């Protein structure tokens, strides 16, 4: 891998010493992320990211939100009096040698650097109920720490994000263009996805209608709390923090809860070779929600609880819709590893929705039981 550009950019964030080497970090679908190793004792390793401008048209808003979030959590840390597991710590932004928290490259790309949390790792799949409980702790603690951060103080870094009716309208416009006839992938798979969306389009507005009617209130959310955006301590497997904060903004906590469960409760994984093996694991759902409510029960309302199943059902549908739209548009948003990859990803999400629908009574009962404890 040619990392000359990354090395030059990384040096912009290094006040002493030199960059030794740069390597890819993680398997994110949007941004390019690197681990930078230096010969500096003060900063031996840090994370470098290039923000995907095609996905995030307002990177300055992202950085403003991260600054706001950092100030808020720093204030809470001082109030708490100590830095330990009882306080949720996020990676810190690093400044360039010019004192900015981002660097704009020659091609106009936005780059940022963050502290690297040593002895940590991410998971692609959960291996136990204990792991699932740690996920619930991480999301719950994040919501708990930002509960008094005014959502109106956050800038809209990605307009329309998680607004399912907008994704549906976008899909309708693309599908009407006839572009799908020219794309790779099975015709049968494509027809299944199109029929699946048509059969469920009336449920796409459920959360937005509840928000418009005043039943659900926007709060500060993570926006993308999938499993591999949670860092675990290597030795103890305890959740340490949440990463990839580009989508932190105002929204419904249901977006976070639904997306987290979508990511974690599919034990076959999001890259499952056979979409038919996909199933929603209710036991994992129970473990996550139980720990989540231990953190957040005091400020989750009855209306919030009443719409939790809607979130569980809607978020995988939404992601499947986005994958299929991106397939139609030539993989502009999600990186594709082979022709038809985003169609295959859409199939996985829609099969997950089917599994959720088959277990709807069980999931609703589970939510009522956990939320009443």
């Amino acid at each position: 891998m040619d990392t000359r550009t990354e090395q030059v950019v990384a040096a912009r964030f290094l006040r002493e010493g030199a960059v030794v080497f740069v390597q890819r970090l993680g398997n994110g679908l949007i941004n390019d992320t690197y681990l930078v190793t230096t010969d500096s004792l003060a900063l031996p390793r840090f994370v470098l990211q290039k923000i995907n401008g095609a996905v995030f048209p307002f990177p300055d808003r992202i950085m403003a939100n991260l600054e706001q979030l950092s100030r808020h959590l720093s204030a809470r840390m001082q109030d708490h009096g100590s830095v330990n597991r009882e306080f949720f710590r996020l990676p810190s932004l690093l400044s360039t040698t010019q004192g900015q928290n981002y660097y704009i490259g020659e091609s106009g790309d936005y780059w940022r650097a963050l502290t690297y949390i040593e002895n940590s790792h991410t998971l692609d799949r959960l291996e136990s109920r204990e792991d699932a409980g740690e996920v619930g702790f991480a999301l719950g603690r994040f919501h708990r720490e930002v509960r008094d951060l005014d959502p109106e103080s956050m800038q809209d870094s990605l307009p329309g994000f998680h607004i399912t009716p907008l994704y549906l309208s976008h899909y309708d416009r693309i599908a009407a263009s006839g572009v799908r006839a020219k794309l790779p992938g099975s015709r049968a798979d494509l027809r299944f996805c199109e029929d699946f969306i048509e059969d469920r389009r009336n449920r796409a507005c459920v959360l937005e209608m509840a928000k418009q009617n005043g039943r659900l209130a926007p709060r500060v959310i993570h926006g993308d709390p999938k499993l591999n955006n949670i860092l675990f301590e290597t030795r103890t497997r305890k959740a340490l923090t949440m990463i990839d904060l580009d989508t932190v903004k105002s929204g419904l906590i249901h977006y976070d809860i639904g997306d987290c469960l979508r990511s974690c409760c599919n034990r076959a994984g999001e890259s499952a070779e056979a979409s038919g093996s996909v199933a929603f694991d209710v036991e994992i759902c129970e473990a996550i929600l139980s720990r989540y409510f231990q953190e957040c029960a005091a400020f989750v309302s009855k209306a919030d609880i009443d719409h939790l199943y809607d979130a569980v059902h809607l978020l995988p549908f939404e992601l499947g819709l986005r994958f299929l739209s991106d397939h139609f548009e030539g993989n502009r948003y999600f990186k594709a590893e082979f022709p038809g990859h985003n169609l295959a990803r859409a199939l996985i999400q829609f099969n997950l929705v089917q599994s959720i629908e088959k277990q709807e009574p069980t999931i609703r009962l589970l939510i009522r039981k956990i939320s009443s404890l």
Side-chain angles (χ1 to χ4, degrees):
M1 179 184 66
D2 184 359
T3 59
R4 285 174 294 182
T5 298
E6 289 76 22
Q7 289 178 343
V8 170
V9 173
R12 298 279 184 172
F13 293 90
L14 194 60
R15 296 181 179 277
E16 62 178 60
V19 174
V20 177
F21 63 90
V22 180
Q23 63 192 90
R24 287 275 185 178
L25 181 64
N27 55 0
L29 300 181
I30 309 297
N31 294 328
D32 294 326
T33 305
Y34 305 91
L35 179 61
V36 179
T37 300
T38 80
D39 61 7
S40 168
L41 294 177
L43 189 65
R45 297 205 285 182
F46 65 91
V47 176
L48 179 70
Q49 282 191 317
K50 181 173 72 172
I51 300 175
N52 188 331
V55 174
F56 298 105
F58 306 106
D60 54 326
R61 298 182 186 180
I62 292 175
M63 301 311 296
N65 285 346
L66 292 184
E67 286 280 10
Q68 176 83 336
L69 181 65
S70 178
R71 287 194 296 269
H72 175 78
L73 293 181
S74 295
R76 290 191 65 83
M77 182 188 301
Q78 294 175 3
D79 292 341
H80 195 275
S82 64
V83 181
N84 54 33
R85 183 168 163 76
E86 292 305 312
F87 178 80
F88 200 71
R89 180 170 55 95
L90 297 175
S92 301
L93 284 171
L94 302 178
S95 297
T96 68
T97 54
Q98 302 299 313
Q100 296 178 304
N101 61 14
Y102 59 87
Y103 171 73
I104 302 178
E106 293 181 359
S107 60
D109 295 317
Y110 271 68
W111 296 80
R112 59 147 176 254
L114 305 102
T115 53
Y116 177 69
I117 298 180
E118 299 285 352
N119 302 314
S120 65
H121 67 283
T122 60
L123 300 177
D124 290 324
R125 298 183 187 181
L126 296 174
E127 297 180 10
S128 66
R129 283 180 60 91
E130 289 72 25
D131 286 348
E134 288 300 307
V135 170
F137 161 79
L139 182 59
R141 180 53 58 94
F142 180 85
H143 285 171
R144 177 174 164 180
E145 295 294 350
V146 300
R147 69 188 184 278
D148 53 353
L149 178 55
D150 183 2
E152 293 187 2
S153 70
M154 307 297 284
Q155 299 190 36
D156 194 349
S157 56
L158 191 57
F161 189 53
H162 283 318
I163 310 300
T164 310
L166 294 182
Y167 291 123
L168 184 59
S169 296
H170 182 63
Y171 161 81
D172 286 339
R173 289 193 298 272
I174 302 168
S177 70
V179 68
R180 61 189 181 280
K182 308 171 187 177
L183 296 174
S186 161
R187 298 297 100 187
D189 287 345
L190 189 57
R191 174 56 61 187
F192 168 82
C193 289
E194 291 174 326
D195 291 344
F196 192 90
I197 292 169
E198 192 61 33
D199 291 343
R200 291 159 180 81
R201 65 170 49 247
N202 290 337
R203 301 186 67 172
C205 298
V206 58
L207 292 181
E208 295 312 305
M209 288 297 296
K211 182 172 67 175
Q212 292 176 19
N213 294 337
R215 287 182 52 77
L216 301 179
R219 302 172 190 171
V220 174
I221 62 170
H222 180 281
D224 190 21
K226 58 189 178 184
L227 178 58
N228 59 13
N229 280 342
I230 297 171
L231 282 185
F232 291 78
E233 203 275 331
T234 300
R235 182 179 60 84
T236 64
R237 295 182 73 88
K238 299 295 185 183
L240 292 173
T241 189
M242 300 186 75
I243 57 175
D244 278 4
L245 305 170
D246 297 327
T247 50
V248 170
K249 54 180 286 187
S250 173
L252 299 178
I253 60 171
H254 298 73
Y255 304 153
D256 273 0
I257 297 171
D259 203 34
C260 181
L261 294 174
R262 172 203 63 75
S263 169
C264 296
C265 295
N266 172 14
R267 298 295 292 275
E270 295 190 354
S271 298
E273 295 181 0
S275 59
S277 65
V278 171
F280 186 84
D281 192 316
V282 176
E283 290 188 4
I284 293 298
C285 175
E286 180 180 20
I288 292 173
L289 287 181
S290 294
R291 286 296 301 280
Y292 178 85
F293 273 96
Q294 288 179 23
E295 296 294 320
C296 299
F299 59 89
V300 174
S301 70
K302 181 180 183 303
D304 289 331
I305 295 167
D306 289 343
H307 286 84
L308 277 186
Y309 175 80
D310 296 322
V312 174
H313 180 267
L314 185 62
L315 268 293
F317 173 80
E318 175 190 290
L319 184 57
L321 187 63
R322 294 171 61 199
F323 278 141
L324 188 60
S325 296
D326 204 39
H327 174 67
F328 286 169
E329 292 190 293
N331 312 313
R332 295 170 53 188
Y333 191 102
F334 299 105
K335 297 174 184 176
E337 298 175 5
F338 56 84
H341 193 180
N342 279 318
L343 174 59
R345 287 168 169 155
L347 280 170
I348 290 170
Q349 297 305 316
F350 292 153
N351 276 276
L352 185 61
V353 173
Q354 285 187 321
S355 178
I356 291 168
E357 291 172 344
K358 291 175 182 177
Q359 301 178 85
E360 177 176 351
T362 302
I363 296 170
R364 287 188 180 277
L365 182 62
L366 174 66
I367 292 171
R368 288 198 299 270
K369 182 184 73 171
I370 292 174
S371 62
S372 64
L373 294 178

